[in-house]
Structure formats: C-alpha cells, structure tokens
Amino acid sequence: MTPRQLTIRLIVLATAILGLNYIIWRWMVSINWEAWWIAIPLVLAETYSLLDSLLFGVTMWRYKQRDTPLPPPAGLTVDVFITTYNEPFDLVMGTARAAKNIAYPHRTWILDDGNRADLRAIAEAEGIGWITRSDDWANRPRHAKAGNLNNALLATDGEFMLILDADQVPDPKILDNTLGYFNNRRMALVQTPQVFVNVPPNDPLGSQAPLFYGPIQQGKDGWNAAFFCGSNAIIRREALMQLGVMRYVSETELALNKALKTADKVVAKAGRQLGPGQERLASALSTLATDLQQVRRELNEGQAIADVTYRFQERVDAVARNLVAEDFAALHAELNSIEGLSRTIDVDGSLAVVDDVALDRLSQRDWSPLGAVETVRVLIDSVNAEKAGEAQAVMPLATISVTEDMATCMRLHSLGWESAYHHERLADGLAPEDLDSMLTQRLRWAQGTMQVMFRENPFMQKGLSLAQRLMYVATMWSYLSGFAAVAYIAAPVIYLILGILPVQSLSNEFFLRLIPFLVINQILFLVVGRGVKTWRGQQYSLALFPTWIKSVTSAFGNVFLGRDLDFRVTPKTLQARSRLPWHLVRPQLIAMAVLALAAVVGVIRLLLGQGDLLGSSVNFVWIAFDLLIFSVVIEAVRYPGYDAWLNSNKKKEGNP
C-alpha cells in the first residue's frame, strides 16, 4: 500500500465515522417534529448525501494507478468503429483519417447510421470501410447506437474493436498503449479518458470530467469495475459475443417459462368451465395440458428451444383442427383488444414482446376451449427462438436503455470478465458548445443510467461481487441528487421567511457534529483530486437538479408505464440562436429568485426583531452558497461557443 492509498483510507474512515455520528444524532435527537413537513425531507436529503459520500469513499478505498502495460503481441486483428448518425462529413472524416493513421495494424470502419451515400463514396475513396444497417433492420427496433454497433459486429471479424464517437480523434498510439492489457485472457474492456479540446479553462458548461476520468474510474478499477463509457474503449470480441449468446439463451428461456406458466393457467381455467357432455372439448384441453408438460421435459433434457416450440405448435394446430370451427378472426380481435397485447402483437399474429401485465390478464380471462388453444398457440409463438421482432437474434451490446455502455459493462462483469481503466489521454473530443446541447447530452446519460437501474438493478444481478454492485449503484445513486437539492433549497427559504427551523435548535452539539463531517468530506475530495479542478463538477451536480429529476421520472415512466423518451442525438456543433436561452434554466432562475427574496425577508425580519441572529446568519451563508452554485447557469446561458470565446480572448490579449 502506498502512502497516498493509506492517507485516502484514513480519511475515508474518518468521513464514515463523523458522517454516521452526525446523521444518527440527527435522526435520534434533532428533528423538529412540529415542522415534520420540512424536517423529514431535509434529514432524508442529508442521509442521501451521507450515503453518497460513503459510496465515494468505498470507490476510493481501492484507488488503483496501473503500470504501463506490456507491448501488445503482433498479429492481433482490430476493427476501429467510428459511430455516426448525422454529424458533418468533415468532422466524421477527420476522425476516420486519424483512425486510419493509428500505428498498430487494423481496419477502420465508419458505422453510418444515416446511410449517406456521399459519405460512403468519400470514405471508400480513401480506403476507409463504410457500414450501414442491413435490410434486416427495416421496420424493426433500431436501438440507437447499440443497434449500430451490433449490426457492425456481425459484419466484421476482428478479435478486438476500438469504439470511437464521430468527434473523438484518436492518437496514433492508442492501440499500442492499450492492447497489452489483453494479454490477460479475462480482460474484456479497456477504457481510456474522454477529454475535450473545445473547452475554455473555466469550463462554463462543465464538459470536462477530471474527477470521473481519473480518481473515480481508478477507484472503480481497483474493484474490477472500471466502466465502459461508450467511446475511446477497446473491447474483446469474444467477450461481447459470449455475452450476446448467453443473454439470448437466458432471455428466451425466461420468456418461454413465463409463457408456459400462463398457458397452464389458461388451459386449467378453460377446463373448469366445461360442463357435462363436453368430453370431446375436455379431451382436447387434456391433450394440450399434456403437450405443455412435454415441452418442459424436452427443455429440461436440453433440446433446442426452436425445435421444441416448433413441434409444440404443430401439435397445437392438430388440436385446433379437431375442434369445432370458430370465427378465428373474431378470436384474434378479442386477443388484440387486451390492453398490453395490442401493442405487442406482431404483423404475423405473434407476440413481438412478452408483456408481464398482458400475461396476467390473459390468465385471468374466461376462454372457450378453442380460445384457450389459440391463446396458448399465440403465447408460445411469442417467444419464437428466431426473435422475428428483432433484426438480429443476438444483440451483444445492451439495448435496454438509451445508452448502451453501462448495462453492457455490468453484464460482462457478471460473466466474470475483467475491465481496466488506462489513465492516459489517447483521443481528443468535442464537447457540446451550447447549453441546449449540453442539457440534451446530460439528460440522455442520466436517463440511460436510470433505465439500467430500473431494469437491471445491480443488487439483483448474479455473478457480480458486492463491491462491483456498489460501484454501479454509486453512479446510479448520484442521479437521485435532484430530489435532495429541492430540500436543500427549501430549508433556508422556509426559515428566513417563516422562521421555522427544521432542527430542534442550532446548538453547539449540532455544529460540533456537522462541521467536522463537512470539513473532512471536502478534504477527501482535495486529497483524491490532488490538483484536479472539481469545483465546476460540484456546481453542476446541484445546478442541474431539474435535469436529474426529469431523468428519474422519465426513465420510470418509460420502464414501468411504457412511455416514450424524448431522445435526441447530441449536436456536435454550435447551434444557431437568435437570443439567449434563458428558458432552458427557468427552474434554476426561479430558485435563485426565491433564495434572494428569502435573504431580503430574513434581513427585514432581523431588523424588526423577529429573527434569531445565529439562525439567520447560518441560513444567509447557506443561501449565499446556493446562489454561488447556481451562478454557473448564468455563465452557461451567456457562453457564446468556443470559437467566439477564443476570438474574444485574443482581442483582450491584443492578438489579431
């Protein structure tokens, strides 16, 4: 253990002890129950912040600075993928030309999701490969960037792939400096930092992330949980393909088991409704029940799902032909009328997706024998192993969220694969140049993370170590900060305007417990960062509270309520505007106005002898801190873009 690691661990322990000492006391002693409506939200926000600090401390506990890897062996085959949709040709080709000049032997491909013939002609004229979606993707889910990469995986065969966004210009030695990690046969992924060249030193949009692409990734790396961040990463094809095949098998088996359980219920319920003299119908249902048991036996024997379901469908068709003819069109109309099935019935009459709510409704309806037979046929057909509803049966990169990186990496870790974070700048990217683009990007990142949390909670995933679960949860947890921010804004406003204190009193005990925790927490950031500028990131973690709240609510609506997400690709160039976009930060401006008004009211109440000097002073400082945090949004709205900033800076320095 290095002296630096020992120092970090001692500070982490001190942070945990002081933080728990404070928050336990807050819950046990200091809550003002007469004002529970603000006291409880505030202590919950403080508890959230403590847990956030503890998760950060756990991350830093295994802080890891890797040695330079051994040189890669000769002869590895590498595909360099440059993903693009609608970015300008010159931007895409600038990255592609730099990728072509990477020193280690490789093939360069532009993955053009926009299917632009002109871009293809330019690329191929320069000896650069061009791939777009195959015809199999027509009228099927496209899955954004994940779909683009999955399509390219089946069109190429390199042992490794370097994934680059269209604006990430690689260094010629990016492969030479990273492929050596793959001498470890269990290494699936190597992530390098994302650094942006079009950002002023004051970083008004908070684009650089030196704390994440540094100490945080190095901390996660110590727990074998370094994240895949979507670009500037090298991945082993074998790991991805194993992941894709295993997910395909497990998801198909899960869907089939759900369908079989529902089919059993449908057949049993239809049988109970039969009366005397309906032996022929009872025999048909009995045959169907026996066939369902045979399906289970064949699956337990390890027979192929496609073969088992195909034979079952033939037997179901035979049962149906022996029953009295019915109006199948009316029956299908009834199936389609069930909410949850109407959006999942495919064009050929089969279910495109097995919907749990729809399955439950199917099992509860009263079906005629013929209706039961046809319902079972549709259910089993819904999990056709060929996955007719998708362009590809195997999807190695995760498609469960608007960002493919986190879920894919978590799945790789759950299979026992390893990842590494290589802390060296090996690509130069372009950050959003206006507030609207930045907010679009941050919202998509946050929505993708929350979708993963709701769909594949790390604590529910098999194969992950406890530390890996905590590393994923720590990132997901951070996006809940928007709700805590509301309490932190409201508490000082309520005190200064109404004189209501959310704690029993501002006693010496309160300050002796709170201040040491706040100080040691900041010391942890300073020691971990060691010269890294983290203030801008701390500002935006609070200042973007409306974006974080929207990410949680919209992702929840998408996952549990089936609502669409407002997905937009982040523009890579400055967007034209006729006026300053103050509307984009309206909630923050309202919060600032309310905070300022509360400060004015607090001063007036003090002058009138209605306020407590100590309580008011504490809350004045609190409000000043909040306003300082929120001031970044004013700077962001006024930011003219990098080129304009550069020209303005040159004029100030007297340069032409």
Side-chain angles (χ1 to χ4, degrees), residues 285-517:
L285 291 176
S286 177
T287 299
L288 191 56
T290 301
D291 285 342
L292 286 169
Q293 293 303 316
Q294 183 175 340
V295 168
R296 288 191 170 87
R297 285 196 301 273
E298 292 174 347
L299 291 174
N300 290 335
E301 292 170 359
Q303 297 187 36
I305 292 175
D307 294 339
V308 172
T309 55
Y310 175 76
R311 291 194 297 268
F312 176 76
Q313 292 291 6
E314 287 190 321
R315 297 195 297 271
V316 172
D317 289 342
V319 171
R321 284 193 298 270
N322 291 330
L323 290 175
V324 178
E326 295 284 351
D327 185 355
F328 276 88
L331 185 58
H332 275 288
E334 184 175 6
L335 283 170
N336 276 313
S337 70
I338 298 177
E339 184 180 354
L341 287 183
S342 58
R343 68 173 182 273
T344 56
I345 294 286
D346 210 346
V347 291
D348 61 358
S350 66
L351 282 157
V353 178
V354 178
D355 185 302
D356 288 345
V357 176
L359 291 179
D360 185 57
R361 289 178 178 147
L362 273 176
S363 66
Q364 294 178 16
R365 286 178 74 93
D366 294 331
W367 292 106
S368 67
L370 182 62
V373 171
E374 183 62 7
T375 300
V376 171
R377 188 193 70 76
V378 171
L379 279 169
I380 304 304
D381 193 48
S382 71
V383 288
N384 187 317
E386 296 179 358
K387 290 189 178 281
E390 293 282 2
Q392 297 176 187
V394 175
M395 294 280 191
L397 279 97
T399 60
I400 63 167
S401 79
V402 294
T403 54
E404 73 293 335
D405 42 20
M406 175 180 284
T408 299
C409 194
M410 185 167 65
R411 292 174 177 181
L412 287 171
H413 282 136
S414 71
L415 293 179
W417 289 97
E418 298 177 18
S419 65
Y421 174 68
H422 181 76
H423 190 50
E424 180 184 8
R425 178 176 177 171
L426 291 171
D428 289 332
L430 295 178
E433 291 209 45
D434 57 85
L435 180 60
D436 189 19
S437 299
M438 181 269 275
L439 293 176
T440 297
Q441 181 188 68
R442 303 299 170 81
L443 178 61
R444 187 179 76 251
W445 289 348
Q447 285 174 328
T449 300
M450 299 313 297
Q451 282 178 306
V452 176
M453 186 180 82
F454 292 140
R455 287 190 168 124
E456 296 188 2
N457 190 300
F459 285 121
M460 305 301 292
Q461 300 306 305
K462 297 179 180 178
L464 295 176
S465 68
L466 176 60
Q468 287 174 323
R469 298 175 199 272
L470 291 174
M471 293 303 97
Y472 282 102
V473 167
T475 297
M476 298 169 178
W477 181 260
S478 66
Y479 287 116
L480 300 176
S481 63
F483 299 100
V486 174
Y488 289 141
I489 294 167
V493 170
I494 290 171
Y495 177 78
L496 290 174
I497 293 179
L498 302 177
I500 297 175
L501 196 64
V503 297
Q504 290 286 357
S505 66
L506 296 176
S507 61
N508 288 336
E509 188 175 11
F510 174 80
F511 291 110
L512 287 175
R513 291 176 185 270
L514 173 62
I515 292 176
F517 168 63

Side-chain angles (χ1 to χ4, degrees), residues 183-249:
N183 292 326
N184 173 3
R185 286 289 304 148
R186 297 306 301 166
M187 186 65 67
L189 163 77
V190 176
Q191 178 67 54
T192 69
Q194 294 188 26
V195 181
F196 305 104
V197 296
N198 61 333
V199 176
N202 64 336
D203 195 8
L205 298 180
S207 298
Q208 307 286 20
L211 187 63
F212 179 79
Y213 288 112
I216 290 179
Q217 277 280 51
Q218 289 170 312
K220 293 180 187 295
D221 195 14
W223 296 108
N224 184 29
F227 281 10
F228 172 35
C229 301
S231 183
N232 305 4
I234 303 89
I235 308 179
R236 187 189 296 270
R237 177 184 290 270
E238 177 191 352
L240 275 183
M241 297 311 295
Q242 181 196 27
L243 171 61
V245 171
M246 293 190 68
R247 293 292 302 191
Y248 158 73
V249 172

